[in-house]
Amino acid sequence: MRADLEIIQDWIPAGSRVLDLGCGTGELLASLRDHKQVSGYGLEIDPDNIAQCVAKGVNVIEQDLDQGLGNFASNSFDVVVMTQALQAVEYPDRILDEMLRVGRQCIITFPNFGHWRCRWYLATKGRMPVSDFMPYTWYNTPNIHFCTFEDFEALCSERRAQVLDRLAVDHLHRHGWAGKLWPNLLGEIGIYRVSSPGLAEHKVAV
Amino acid sequence: MSTVFPEDSVGLVTPQLAQFDQPLALACGRSLATYELIYETYGTLNSAASNAVLICHALSGHHHAAGYHSPTDRKPGWWDSCIGPGKPIDTNRFFVVSLNNLGGCNGSTGPSSINPATGKPYGADFPVLTVEDWVHSQARLADRLGIQQWAAVVGGSLGGMQALQWTITYPDRVRHCLDIASAPKLSAQNIAFNEVARQAILTDPEFHGGSFQDQGVIPKRGLMLARMVGHITYLSDDSMGEKFGRELKSDKLNYDFHSVEFQVESYLRYQGEEFSGRFDANTYLLMTKALDYFDPAAAHGGDLAATLANVTADYCVMSFTTDWRFSPARSREIVDALIAARKNVCYLDIDSPYGHDAFLIPTPRYITGFSNYMNRIVC
């Protein structure tokens, strides 16, 4: 399983009800179902991914995140997950609001544009960073809203969402001393657990 | 003529008749003392009887869903693209049952059958049936075949409504429901189209209040018009444009009202003409009423999620992007209710140019999604 999904899996309590936004091939939901008695749904728009979810027996709903989560009731899920999609949605702030409305807790992962390699690339070449990890050129990238860890945390604080956990990892999802020391400079991917404003923190077995 | 059928065909099939002598109580308050259902089966029922799949047909459908009745048949059954060895409903794994609904005109008891009480065709005296009545009659067929629980009930359009109703009426007798290009109830626009179709039939002088068989005639014009208006709703603007555009039959305009000038006119007339020769007018009226009346949530104050609270089946809901008869939004109503009721559901909105008819057309993405869902069903 993808390394970030392994980490997220540990953050989700057994028996939870989970909504996975941009669930890909359904790997996380299938694993949570098989190992932690988790039930829930995944939203996806890619036809091949959806077909794979169906084959795995994952509850996949073809739904575009940019249309919002209006069809999901408030506080109807224990955890709402969104991995590597925040930077690709049309309104990251609105989707965060929606996630906080629908779930008691949210787990969000996204690439850190404040990582030193991005800064170095931009500073020395004066061009938008292109790497193996973020291989797109600026004009054809699905990633339309890059942010840094600092930016994301500012948004959370503006929305009065509480950051419960934060893990900065490298592109292989290893979390070592560097990410702890100076996450916004040395972390490539952020894995955040945030809770809805006004909701008491739910104890999560990690 | 070659007698070799395609490898992925169920091949030669023979319809069977089941006679039922226990009265069937109907939603309208009347009952049918005796009735017959005609059906076909494909594949083999396993010893645990756990691999049975029920096919529910749409408005003008019937029991002949797959295979051929004779080596000289030009075309196979109406859903042959999805039923057969290696197809989404794989007859190597599943035992498939496909019937002609009660009230139909293809061999099951319906308005054109002889009423044993009078010795004459039922005609207008045949009771108006509901989707739930059909489900009860299908449950008796399941009993007859030794099927306690369907692995899946599958249907498109009106057939999808039956599949959904099965999971509500007999929650412990269905493990999976495939509800394709369907809706939880008709909209005012849907009912309006049905009413135009009905008026076309009812006002045909040859209809004779439904007793046209006694007069030895058929309300051909009315049926033809009903089919023409119905057919428009099965196609998309795109597919009609692609197929006919504004193409003319000859290269000049006639400046009159009776010539068939545009290709689309010719096509619709042909469809209507062909249909009026093979379908019973009273059955058409009955089918449109069953559609109009279908509204399982009505019993729960319109709350579909509450209606689905006790269902135990898993669902696969599929819609098609250009379907405007039962648009994707209608399928999403079902999906949203299932989510609110915390049921297992997959929802696929398949990109297809073919409108409502897309559920009959083997678009690759549709076939893959359909197959993947069926393949995960444990028998």
Side-chain angles (χ1 to χ4, degrees):
Chain A
M1 186 156 69
R2 239 168 61 193
D4 57 335
L5 302 183
E6 296 258 19
I7 295 165
I8 291 168
Q9 180 160 257
D10 287 340
W11 285 8
I12 294 175
S16 301
R17 223 170 114 71
V18 172
L19 179 63
D20 187 354
L21 309 183
C23 66
T25 61
E27 212 180 358
L28 178 67
L29 283 172
S31 175
L32 285 168
R33 173 197 62 201
D34 297 342
H35 300 114
K36 299 185 91 170
Q37 301 81 49
V38 160
S39 63
Y41 305 91
L43 307 191
E44 183 53 58
I45 48 169
D46 179 78
D48 296 330
N49 283 345
I50 291 169
Q52 290 196 53
C53 289
V54 171
K56 285 194 183 87
V58 162
N59 287 327
V60 65
I61 309 293
E62 183 156 353
Q63 184 169 333
D64 187 348
L65 300 182
D66 286 330
Q67 306 299 313
L69 303 176
N71 52 330
F72 292 91
S74 299
N75 294 320
S76 54
F77 288 86
D78 297 310
V79 186
V80 182
V81 178
M82 184 166 70
T83 60
Q84 301 292 342
L86 186 72
Q87 75 282 0
V89 297
E90 209 169 332
Y91 301 103
D93 55 335
R94 290 192 202 166
I95 199 77
L96 180 66
D97 287 343
E98 280 287 82
M99 290 176 75
L100 292 166
R101 176 183 67 78
V102 168
R104 286 183 244 286
Q105 283 190 5
C106 306
I107 296 174
I108 300 164
T109 80
F110 58 91
N112 176 27
F113 212 67
H115 183 254
W116 70 267
R117 218 178 274 124
C118 291
R119 300 188 196 198
W120 179 252
Y121 198 107
L122 192 58
T124 58
K125 299 190 192 219
R127 308 270 313 261
M128 286 300 278
V130 176
S131 65
D132 288 346
F133 176 54
M134 290 189 285
Y136 304 100
T137 47
W138 64 274
Y139 49 84
N140 69 358
T141 178
N143 303 319
I144 52 175
H145 283 114
F146 274 122
C147 68
T148 69
F149 292 174
E150 297 284 346
D151 289 327
F152 179 72
E153 290 187 27
L155 177 63
C156 288
S157 124
E158 198 182 289
R159 295 302 202 267
R160 295 187 300 113
Q162 197 189 349
V163 175
L164 304 175
D165 277 303
R166 178 181 70 185
L167 200 57
V169 296
D170 65 15
H171 65 281
L172 297 170
H173 299 93
R174 290 174 302 206
H175 41 108
W177 58 272
K180 279 188 196 123
L181 181 72
W182 198 343
N184 200 36
L185 186 68
L186 301 174
E188 279 179 272
I189 296 167
I191 306 176
Y192 279 81
R193 191 160 65 90
V194 299
S195 74
S196 310
L199 270 177
E201 194 199 329
H202 285 246
K203 211 64 196 148
V204 168
V206 175
Chain B
M1 177 65 70
S2 163
T3 55
V4 179
F5 300 112
E7 245 176 55
D8 59 356
S9 164
V10 297
L12 209 57
V13 293
T14 310
Q16 299 169 74
L17 263 180
Q19 164 84 31
F20 297 88
D21 295 320
Q22 253 205 335
L24 182 72
L26 305 169
C28 64
R30 297 170 59 189
S31 73
L32 274 173
T34 64
Y35 59 94
E36 284 182 323
L37 293 177
I38 192 166
Y39 66 97
E40 291 179 0
T41 69
Y42 322 114
T44 312
L45 187 64
N46 64 15
S47 54
S50 63
N51 67 335
V53 172
L54 176 68
I55 308 294
C56 300
H57 70 70
L59 198 153
S60 61
H62 46 70
H63 55 290
H64 184 39
Y68 300 82
H69 281 165
S70 111
T72 54
D73 281 359
R74 264 191 323 113
K75 286 200 290 187
W78 59 269
W79 219 7
D80 199 77
S81 58
C82 294
I83 304 167
K87 289 178 181 171
I89 302 172
D90 189 343
T91 49
N92 290 327
R93 289 187 69 217
F94 295 111
F95 174 67
V96 181
V97 179
S98 173
L99 79 158
N100 181 215
N101 277 345
L102 199 56
C105 55
N106 293 85
S108 289
T109 301
S112 52
S113 308
I114 301 295
N115 180 351
T118 62
K120 293 204 303 184
Y122 283 98
D125 192 40
F126 196 84
V128 171
L129 298 174
T130 66
V131 168
E132 202 167 6
D133 290 332
W134 281 332
V135 168
H136 288 306
S137 69
Q138 291 161 0
R140 288 197 181 172
L141 179 62
D143 294 341
R144 182 71 57 88
L145 297 171
I147 297 158
Q148 173 50 36
Q149 186 187 60
W150 298 103
V153 180
V154 186
S157 191
L158 176 57
M161 294 173 174
Q162 293 160 60
L164 183 66
Q165 186 68 56
W166 254 100
T167 65
I168 298 166
T169 306
Y170 294 106
D172 51 354
R173 297 194 71 174
V174 191
R175 291 205 301 284
H176 293 271
C177 167
L178 285 91
D179 194 355
I180 307 169
S182 193
K185 62 180 178 222
L186 292 202
S187 67
Q189 189 193 48
N190 295 147
I191 295 170
F193 274 112
N194 280 346
E195 175 58 6
V196 173
R198 280 192 295 267
Q199 284 303 320
I201 292 168
L202 294 167
T203 58
D204 186 322
E206 306 279 50
F207 183 64
H208 296 289
S211 308
F212 50 88
Q213 265 171 292
D214 299 342
Q215 312 284 327
V217 292
I218 53 166
K220 197 171 158 58
R221 283 222 75 73
L223 256 175
M224 189 175 151
L225 279 173
R227 182 61 167 182
M228 284 168 78
V229 70
H231 206 92
I232 296 167
T233 69
Y234 305 150
L235 305 177
S236 70
D237 193 20
D238 285 353
S239 62
M240 268 192 162
E242 174 101 354
K243 210 165 176 176
F244 313 108
R246 294 179 49 85
E247 214 175 295
L248 296 168
K249 279 186 77 73
S250 67
D251 50 11
K252 62 174 182 52
L253 300 175
N254 294 310
Y255 296 96
D256 67 21
F257 298 119
H258 53 266
S259 318
V260 182
E261 297 186 294
F262 291 92
Q263 288 291 5
V264 66
E265 296 175 308
S266 159
Y267 171 79
L268 279 180
R269 286 192 197 198
Y270 170 79
Q271 289 293 332
E273 188 86 35
E274 185 268 342
F275 187 74
S276 66
R278 69 174 163 91
F279 210 82
D280 176 61
N282 285 312
T283 290
Y284 200 91
L285 295 175
L286 184 151
M287 294 284 170
T288 62
K289 270 292 170 193
L291 273 163
D292 290 2
Y293 286 173
F294 180 70
D295 184 7
H300 290 82
D303 186 343
L304 189 57
T307 310
L308 296 166
N310 296 320
V311 305
T312 56
D314 290 353
Y315 294 77
C316 178
V317 178
M318 292 190 269
S319 61
F320 299 92
T321 49
T322 55
D323 184 353
W324 59 279
R325 184 183 176 88
F326 295 144
S327 71
R330 309 307 315 282
S331 284
R332 280 198 294 270
E333 289 174 31
I334 299 169
V335 173
D336 290 346
L338 288 166
I339 291 170
R342 305 192 163 203
K343 305 302 172 185
N344 287 324
V345 54
C346 287
Y347 169 58
L348 282 70
D349 183 27
I350 290 145
D351 198 9
S352 162
Y354 302 112
H356 189 56
D357 267 352
F359 84 90
L360 299 167
I361 296 166
T363 314
R365 198 191 152 201
Y366 173 42
I367 295 299
T368 304
F370 200 163
S371 300
N372 285 7
Y373 192 88
M374 292 304 295
N375 287 341
R376 68 178 246 215
I377 295 177
V378 181
C379 293

